[in-house]
Amino acid sequence: MTAQLALHPLGKRLGTEVEGADLAHLDDQTFAAIEDIFREHPVLVFRDQKLDAHQLAAFGARFGRLREHILENYRHPDEPRVSFITNVAKDGGVDKFGVTRASSWHADETYDPPEKLPRLAILHAVEVPREKGGTLFADMYAAYETLPEAMKEKLEGMTGRHGYTDGPDARRLYTAEHIAQRNASRPECLHPAIKEHPVTGRKVLFVNPTHCHGFVGMTNAESDPLIEELRDHSIQDDNTYYHKWRVGDVVIWDEIATMHRGAADAAPEERRVMLRTIVHPN
Ligand SMILES: [Fe+2]
């Protein structure tokens, strides 16, 4: 029987709780209803789910194709297409890199070329800090739509240069050595600053300050302040949603229509364990 789904807005523009779905046992009609909702609401929250790595991968695979995490030590032992996002080291202590990892605004994998961009990502909370430790999301449709007309026109013809982790915000978060190591394995990729969403056809501002390190035809001295200005415009309070995690939450976000970051505001010794999978178009 198809589940009856109810929607509850969470943030002002972004973040929608979907009530009434059991993601471990979804029939095709309920999944189709979720896909329809996701087209209109690029961050969805499902509460009180209990998915093992196989079930999370099976749910993700309904949307598209899953890839194994690039780094073997993040892969789930039972299901390599699911990875761990955690501040817990293998020996049970605090993984310092895990505490701040992904805490600058970004969309995942924009260091890959346009034809390889992910469609969406899914996080499932297994252990959460007692306080804080949330994830922030920004609506990049609204970021585009609320730009001044002159800025829209300027950006329309511009192309962003994306690398692994060498945008202005990444340079504040990571060491030069870390950045050099990561970038050595990846050529620069180009993306239009204003992108048409492949599913909805709506325009998004497609510039994130972690992976976008410049624009074609501009020096870093010219492009850094523009990237930062666009970030500040995109992350105004009205345009963001802070997700406070509960154990059992499943959150799905659209990788083209949103940016996100870990708030990294919890006590480092508070355990945070999430399962993640990233979904590419078929
Ligand atoms: Fe991310």
Side-chain angles (χ1 to χ4, degrees), residues 8-41:
H8 307 287
L10 296 167
K12 198 161 180 183
R13 288 212 183 102
L14 200 62
T16 305
E17 184 181 336
V18 181
E19 191 190 346
D22 175 0
L23 301 183
H25 306 97
L26 271 187
D27 61 70
D28 290 346
Q29 276 163 314
T30 308
F31 177 71
I34 290 171
E35 267 207 308
D36 284 345
I37 294 165
F38 187 53
R39 215 167 286 134
E40 302 294 320
H41 305 278

Side-chain angles (χ1 to χ4, degrees), residues 85 102 104 106-109 121 211 253 255 260-262 276 278:
I85 303 285
S104 59
H106 66 285
D108 293 314
E109 301 180 0
H211 302 310
W253 66 91
E255 288 282 14
H260 61 280
R261 75 178 191 90
R276 184 188 76 169
I278 293 187

Side-chain angles (χ1 to χ4, degrees), residues 14 26 36 50 53 56 69 74 101 107 138 152 169 175 185 187 191 228 236 243 270 278:
L14 200 62
L26 271 187
D36 284 345
K50 195 166 176 27
L56 183 64
H69 196 280
Y74 288 126
R101 179 182 169 202
K152 282 184 187 168
D169 284 12
T175 62
S185 59
H191 296 284
E228 288 168 342
Q236 295 171 71
H243 183 68
E270 289 259 348
I278 293 187

Side-chain angles (χ1 to χ4, degrees), residues 136-204:
L136 287 141
F137 297 92
D139 183 334
M140 302 309 281
Y141 289 128
Y144 169 74
E145 285 156 14
T146 56
L147 284 170
E149 285 305 316
M151 183 61 94
K152 282 184 187 168
E153 278 167 34
K154 175 178 168 174
L155 292 172
E156 200 64 58
M158 287 176 56
T159 301
R161 301 164 50 203
H162 293 240
Y164 206 156
T165 45
D166 57 353
D169 284 12
R171 297 201 301 269
R172 273 187 281 274
L173 188 62
Y174 300 112
T175 62
E177 190 191 10
H178 174 92
I179 291 172
Q181 258 176 17
R182 291 291 171 98
N183 280 347
S185 59
R186 303 207 154 245
E188 179 179 89
C189 285
L190 303 178
H191 296 284
I194 307 297
K195 185 175 172 64
E196 207 166 276
H197 191 287
V199 175
T200 65
R202 291 172 62 196
K203 286 182 177 179
V204 297

Side-chain angles (χ1 to χ4, degrees), residues 61-276:
R62 300 185 84 135
F63 288 99
R65 192 170 44 82
L66 312 183
R67 284 203 312 211
E68 297 185 354
H69 196 280
I70 196 165
L71 301 174
E72 203 172 325
N73 61 335
Y74 288 126
R75 291 180 197 158
H76 195 288
D78 300 337
E79 171 46 85
R81 300 174 304 167
V82 168
S83 59
F84 286 105
I85 303 285
T86 182
N87 63 343
V88 183
K90 288 251 182 322
D91 66 2
V94 177
D95 172 357
K96 286 205 185 86
F97 180 65
V99 172
T100 55
R101 179 182 169 202
S103 64
S104 59
W105 283 102
H106 66 285
D108 293 314
E109 301 180 0
T110 70
Y111 45 76
D112 275 340
E115 67 277 10
K116 285 195 171 171
L117 287 175
R119 177 180 180 199
L120 60 100
I122 308 174
L123 271 181
H124 183 28
V126 179
E127 292 185 61
V128 303
R130 277 169 294 189
E131 282 180 32
K132 300 187 179 176
T135 303
L136 287 141
F137 297 92
D139 183 334
M140 302 309 281
Y141 289 128
Y144 169 74
E145 285 156 14
T146 56
L147 284 170
E149 285 305 316
M151 183 61 94
K152 282 184 187 168
E153 278 167 34
K154 175 178 168 174
L155 292 172
E156 200 64 58
M158 287 176 56
T159 301
R161 301 164 50 203
H162 293 240
Y164 206 156
T165 45
D166 57 353
D169 284 12
R171 297 201 301 269
R172 273 187 281 274
L173 188 62
Y174 300 112
T175 62
E177 190 191 10
H178 174 92
I179 291 172
Q181 258 176 17
R182 291 291 171 98
N183 280 347
S185 59
R186 303 207 154 245
E188 179 179 89
C189 285
L190 303 178
H191 296 284
I194 307 297
K195 185 175 172 64
E196 207 166 276
H197 191 287
V199 175
T200 65
R202 291 172 62 196
K203 286 182 177 179
V204 297
L205 173 58
F206 200 67
V207 175
N208 75 76
T210 297
H211 302 310
C212 182
H213 57 230
F215 295 99
V216 172
M218 276 173 112
T219 63
N220 277 4
E222 292 164 336
S223 54
D224 273 5
L226 178 57
I227 293 168
E228 288 168 342
E229 181 186 343
L230 294 172
R231 173 203 61 207
D232 291 345
H233 169 79
S234 303
I235 63 170
Q236 295 171 71
D237 277 354
D238 278 2
N239 201 39
T240 60
Y241 165 59
Y242 181 109
H243 183 68
K244 172 74 184 97
W245 292 95
R246 296 183 205 161
V247 170
D249 284 355
V250 169
V251 175
I252 308 177
W253 66 91
D254 185 313
E255 288 282 14
I256 308 298
T258 66
M259 288 199 297
H260 61 280
R261 75 178 191 90
D265 55 356
E269 63 279 7
E270 289 259 348
R271 288 171 65 95
R272 183 175 191 266
V273 181
M274 309 262 174
L275 296 182
R276 184 188 76 169

